[in-house]
Every structure is written in C-alpha cells, then in structure tokens.
Amino acid sequence: KAGVTQTPRYLIKTRGQQVTLSCSPISGHRSVSWYQQTPGQGLQFLFEYFSETQRNKGNFPGRFSGRQFSNSRSEMNVSTLELGDSALYLCASSLGLPGQRETQYFGPGTRLLVL
Amino acid sequence: AQSVTQLDSQVPVFEEAPVELRCNYSSSVSVYLFWYVQYPNQGLQLLLKYLSGSTLVKGINGFEAEFNKSQTSFHLRKPSVHISDTAEYFCAGWGRRFQKLVFGTGTRLLVSP
C-alpha cells in the first residue's frame, strides 16, 4: 500500500505571497492532520479533517486554512506569508474512526522557505 | 497543559552500545503512546505504539519500549545501536482534552563509530 504523499517537497516563497500544499493519504484513510515543525517550536498541530469537515484545530492564525476533498486528499493554504512560516509541514493520515485514538502515519513533508 | 516530556535533547552513544531514550507523560495525556523516528530531511516514521495490554512493546529496527504507569514513563530502548540509527526520536501521546497527538520536543540520537 502506498504511503502518505505530499507535494511539493520543497518550496521557496517571498513574504506576502500565499502557498498551497497538498497531501494524499493512505488508501482507505479518511482523516488527514497537518503539523508544522520548526526548530524553535517543535511539532505543532494545525488541523484535522475528516469526511471533508474540519474536526479539530490548533492555535494558528486564520492565515492558515485547509480543506479536504471527497477522495480524502487534503490541501492546506497559508496566505500572506511571513518569515516565521518557514518550516517543515507534515501531513498525517489515519483511518479516522470517530472517538478512536488512532495511529497516524506521516508523509515526507513539504519544506517551505519564506524569504 | 497537555504534555509529553523528553528529558534529553541529545544522546551521544557509540556503535553497538545500548541506549535508552526517556519519555514521561502527564495525566493530561492518555495512555495511548507512540514513538516516532525522523531521519534527516524526512517525515516521521512510526517505531512502535502502546495502546493496551503488555507493557513491553516491540517495534521496528530492534527498538522496544516499556510502559510504566506508576512512573508515567514510556522509555525507548535498543540493546545495540547502529550508525544508521542516528536520527531524531519523538515520543507522543493522545491529549485527553483536545483529542490530538501531543509530541515531546524530540531527542537527537547520535551514534558514532
């Protein structure tokens, strides 16, 4: 079974621009979560989507948004980029059974550099 | 606050020596615990998990972890490390309140010949 895939793997943007990152979960997984990883803050939860609905959200400004499609693929968008948004963005998928504490499987990440 | 604490930011060790990476969790984290490994420029790979049952959990690449409820710990061990085990290791648990994975700050394992 193919793992979680993320595109693009690397991205360079300038301040003020916006960016869209894509994640394809493992086949059959319906939940997709996004995380931001930085040296200073470590791994921080952004949001989780299940069946095209945001099910959970971390403490990030509204510039960070996401969505999920009917095939469970997910995108996250960051508008008005700031230097501090430079990070590795990780996507994780799980079966998504409500109320279950499931195992999350991670993709390779998208490394975003904001200049 | 929901927390998972990894007590060592960096652990240097010689090849073929045993290693233990320490992880403690608070009461705000449920006892569904995980260890992930991150190799340079890669995502996180699941090493092992504890959901219930036997307190000794075996994972991939020869790693194992022991769940200790009285000490609220979930330490990761390997009896003999290889150069290829050099990576960052993350302990994680499910937060009770916000139902999301809570990660520790990571431990960098440095294996030298």
Side-chain angles (χ1 to χ4, degrees):
Chain A
K1 211 181 240 190
V4 178
T5 59
Q6 291 186 247
T7 56
R9 292 293 311 277
Y10 303 92
L11 207 48
I12 300 176
K13 292 285 187 180
T14 56
R15 277 183 301 173
Q17 286 187 308
Q18 75 164 21
V19 67
T20 299
L21 312 182
S22 181
C23 171
S24 292
I26 292 171
S27 177
H29 284 194
R30 296 169 64 192
S31 173
V32 172
S33 298
W34 289 89
Y35 295 83
Q36 181 195 65
Q37 185 180 25
T38 58
Q41 300 296 319
L43 278 153
Q44 293 188 286
F45 172 77
L46 279 156
F47 27 64
E48 179 195 8
Y49 285 86
F50 174 78
S51 290
E52 302 178 66
T53 301
Q54 189 178 86
R55 192 160 70 171
N56 206 346
K57 189 178 188 304
N59 294 325
F60 277 82
R63 300 186 296 108
F64 291 81
S65 63
R67 60 177 177 169
Q68 187 180 33
F69 302 95
S70 58
N71 62 357
S72 295
R73 190 176 70 85
S74 177
E75 289 181 347
M76 69 162 279
N77 184 277
V78 188
S79 62
T80 320
L81 283 166
E82 300 176 359
L83 295 179
D85 297 333
S86 294
L88 180 67
Y89 290 88
L90 292 163
C91 166
S93 79
S94 62
L95 285 170
L97 299 175
Q100 300 296 314
R101 300 172 183 86
E102 299 180 316
T103 302
Q104 293 193 343
Y105 297 90
F106 285 78
T110 294
R111 187 165 295 281
L112 172 65
L113 177 61
V114 182
L115 300 175
Chain B
Q2 305 182 115
S3 72
V4 172
T5 303
Q6 291 183 245
L7 299 166
D8 306 298
S9 59
Q10 192 164 289
V11 173
V13 65
F14 288 109
E15 194 175 19
E16 297 183 8
V19 71
E20 179 180 82
L21 305 183
R22 297 181 292 169
C23 173
N24 286 87
Y25 62 94
S26 71
S27 58
S28 61
V29 173
S30 70
V31 291
Y32 287 7
L33 300 164
F34 306 84
W35 275 100
Y36 287 88
V37 60
Q38 186 176 35
Y39 298 104
N41 299 315
Q42 294 188 27
L44 275 68
Q45 181 181 5
L46 180 68
L47 270 179
L48 50 79
K49 59 186 175 183
Y50 174 79
L51 302 181
S52 65
S54 172
T55 56
L56 184 62
V57 181
K58 293 190 183 299
I60 61 170
N61 301 341
F63 283 93
E64 62 181 32
E66 183 150 24
F67 170 68
N68 188 317
K69 188 175 180 179
S70 63
Q71 299 193 2
T72 61
S73 67
F74 188 55
H75 299 335
L76 181 70
R77 302 188 189 105
K78 186 169 182 178
S80 175
V81 294
H82 302 287
I83 297 284
S84 59
D85 292 323
T86 294
E88 189 141 21
Y89 292 79
F90 291 92
C91 182
W94 273 102
R96 291 183 190 276
R97 185 176 175 194
F98 296 112
Q99 291 294 298
K100 62 182 183 182
L101 262 186
V102 177
F103 285 89
T105 51
T107 297
R108 189 172 299 276
L109 177 64
L110 297 168
V111 183
S112 53

